[in-house]
Structure formats: C-alpha cells, structure tokens
C-alpha cells in the first residue's frame, strides 16, 4: 500500500531504528515508546489488522511471535517482556498494518 507508513519502512523508503529484518518481517524501535525497550515486529506483506488474517497467515503470525523473545533478549529484556497487538480502531490500533509491540524494562528514558 503506497500510503502505509509500515509498508514504507519495510521497503526501506523511510528511516527506522531497525533491529531485525528478513524476507518476511522487519522489527524496529517504536518512535513513541512506553517502556525503556519498545519495538515492533511488522510483516512486510500488508495485512491491515489481526481480524484480516486468514489460515494462510498462520506461519507468519507464528514467526512473529517466536521472534519476539529472541529480539527481547537481544534488546536486554532478560527477565521478561510484554506483547501487544492492537486490533481495529476500537482496539486502539493507529497504523492499519498488523504489528506486534514488544516492550519492557520500566519507563522510557526521556531525553531532556
């Protein structure tokens, strides 16, 4: 989708604090973190919401969730982390391209 910010990040058209990339997904730091560590795992394929996923997306969704603990450890979240998928406007979703938030480590560090 030409106007989707996550599609543009996945395509390398916009800068991001990328921490992981392969043929199917990209992971990058959230620009508005609500924890010391806060990143998102985003599929390169445009899927608007979790409600739009079909059985053929099962492997991709599994890949995203299995990648979360590995990347969390690499980002210093050795004692645990939270995951979140906002789904639809009523579920707090702001960018309509499915993504998994991974966060932990206390409050974000604010720069003065």
């Amino acid at each position: 989708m030409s106007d989707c910010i996550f599609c543009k990040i996945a395509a390398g058209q916009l800068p991001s604090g990328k921490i992981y990339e392969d043929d199917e997904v990209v992971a990058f730091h959230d620009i508005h973190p609500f924890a010391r560590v806060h990143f998102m795992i985003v599929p390169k394929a445009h899927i608007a919401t979790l409600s739009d996923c079909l059985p053929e997306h099962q492997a991709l969704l599994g890949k995203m969730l299995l990648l979360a603990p590995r990347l969390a450890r690499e980002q210093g979240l050795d004692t645990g982390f939270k995951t979140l998928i906002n789904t639809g406007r009523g579920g707090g979703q702001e960018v309509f391209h499915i993504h998994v938030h991974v966060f932990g480590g206390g409050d974000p560090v604010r720069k003065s």
Side-chain angles (χ1 to χ4, degrees):
M1 297 214 23
S2 62
D3 62 341
C4 174
I5 191 166
F6 286 173
C7 286
K8 289 178 181 179
I9 290 171
Q13 297 170 346
L14 291 176
S16 66
K18 195 179 299 181
I19 60 171
Y20 178 85
E21 182 175 19
D22 66 21
D23 291 341
E24 296 179 294
V25 300
V26 62
F28 51 90
H29 291 285
D30 194 299
I31 62 170
H32 299 293
F34 46 83
R36 184 181 54 78
V37 174
H38 182 175
F39 61 91
M40 293 177 288
I41 303 171
V42 178
K44 290 184 175 182
H46 184 85
I47 305 165
T49 75
L50 185 59
S51 295
D52 296 313
C53 288
L54 302 169
E56 56 261 29
H57 298 122
Q58 181 174 343
L60 177 62
L61 294 169
K63 177 180 192 165
M64 292 167 63
L65 289 178
L66 290 175
L67 187 57
R70 178 180 135 198
L71 295 178
R73 280 190 303 276
E74 289 175 6
Q75 296 297 305
L77 299 178
D78 298 321
T79 62
F81 59 92
K82 295 180 181 184
T83 57
L84 173 70
I85 301 174
N86 296 315
T87 305
R89 216 168 288 288
Q93 188 173 2
E94 294 177 5
V95 177
F96 284 83
H97 183 128
I98 189 172
H99 53 286
V100 177
H101 290 267
V102 181
F103 55 98
D107 293 335
V109 177
R110 300 284 183 207
K111 295 182 182 174
S112 305

